[in-house]
Amino acid sequence: MGASVAILAATIALHLIAFVFAVGAERRRSTAEVVPDEYDDTTYCKYASDASTVYGLTAFGLLLISQTVVNGVTKCFCFGKGLVVGRSTTWALFFFIFSWVTFLSAESCLLAGSARNAYHTKYRGAFQKETVSCATLRKGVFAAGAAMTLLSMIGSVAYYWIHSKVDTGGWEKHQNDGIGMTAPDMTHQTQQQTGGFSKS
């Protein structure tokens, strides 16, 4: 199996778009301020836009699609044709594990950040009597997801590229070797039979 330019382009594009959305989610994290309620003597948290949650979930989905495409094409490393054993196969396995670790890390950051950013506290205290604490997402969660997304892209591309080079079909290779080994024997037997017939 040779490397497909379309698969590589799709993988890189999906990761880069996910990275852009993750960065956007970090920049558009929801902020809050404590304001008094106009109807009674309580205070509440007034939150800004939830765009960060949408960006984070979009990045989560794009990254999931990219990982599905790569592992679907390569049969998730374990279920395809036999690979030629050697140094390249070891590197393919390394980048396979690396891509999954970084993928899961990125998805965890993006999903947790989106969920936390969407959580809005309401009334927390009496006006001018209690300090109100407005729950907001800690800075850096989406940024970590963006960084893991780039590492996941490197791992996925390297894994797919190396896998495509070593996936020569181990069964087919051995089958061809077997045919090559039996061909001389068959020729020799034919010669013996022909020679035996001519003598008689």
Side-chain angles (χ1 to χ4, degrees), residues 136-154:
T136 55
L137 177 65
R138 185 176 58 182
K139 184 177 181 180
V141 176
F142 284 120
M148 288 294 105
T149 297
L150 286 182
L151 291 177
S152 176
M153 180 185 71
I154 295 172

Side-chain angles (χ1 to χ4, degrees), residues 93-103 151-152 154-156:
L93 178 60
F94 169 79
F95 282 112
F96 171 76
I97 297 173
F98 179 80
S99 68
W100 269 103
V101 170
T102 52
F103 163 75
L151 291 177
S152 176
I154 295 172
S156 296

Side-chain angles (χ1 to χ4, degrees), residues 177-197:
D177 289 344
I179 293 174
M181 290 174 64
T182 57
D185 293 336
M186 293 175 63
T187 304
H188 181 65
Q189 291 176 2
T190 303
Q191 291 176 350
Q192 286 182 342
Q193 291 176 359
T194 304
F197 179 77

Side-chain angles (χ1 to χ4, degrees), residues 16-183:
L16 290 179
I17 296 173
F19 171 78
V20 171
F21 274 107
V23 172
E26 178 66 26
R27 295 175 63 87
R28 295 292 300 275
R29 286 181 302 108
S30 183
T31 57
E33 60 177 340
V34 180
V35 296
D37 194 302
E38 58 181 330
Y39 300 107
D40 51 34
D41 293 333
T42 59
T43 57
Y44 68 98
C45 299
K46 182 179 180 180
Y47 287 85
S49 172
D50 279 338
S52 185
T53 298
V54 178
Y55 290 169
L57 291 177
T58 302
F60 177 91
L62 291 171
L63 197 56
L64 181 61
I65 294 173
S66 179
Q67 189 75 358
T68 301
V69 169
V70 171
N71 285 274
V73 171
T74 60
K75 303 295 189 297
C76 202
F77 194 83
C78 304
F79 303 104
K81 295 179 180 179
L83 302 181
V84 177
V85 179
R87 194 172 185 179
S88 296
T89 303
T90 303
W91 279 111
L93 178 60
F94 169 79
F95 282 112
F96 171 76
I97 297 173
F98 179 80
S99 68
W100 269 103
V101 170
T102 52
F103 163 75
L104 293 175
S105 298
E107 293 289 72
S108 297
C109 291
L110 294 172
L111 186 60
S114 298
R116 184 61 177 174
N117 189 79
Y119 175 72
H120 293 170
T121 54
K122 300 298 181 182
Y123 297 90
R124 294 294 299 273
F127 182 60
Q128 293 182 345
K129 290 184 179 180
E130 296 181 25
T131 301
V132 177
S133 176
C134 300
T136 55
L137 177 65
R138 185 176 58 182
K139 184 177 181 180
V141 176
F142 284 120
M148 288 294 105
T149 297
L150 286 182
L151 291 177
S152 176
M153 180 185 71
I154 295 172
S156 296
V157 170
Y159 160 62
Y160 173 70
W161 180 264
I162 298 173
H163 185 280
S164 66
K165 297 301 181 183
V166 297
D167 184 12
T168 58
W171 184 83
E172 293 178 359
K173 181 177 183 297
H174 291 303
Q175 186 185 45
N176 292 334
D177 289 344
I179 293 174
M181 290 174 64
T182 57

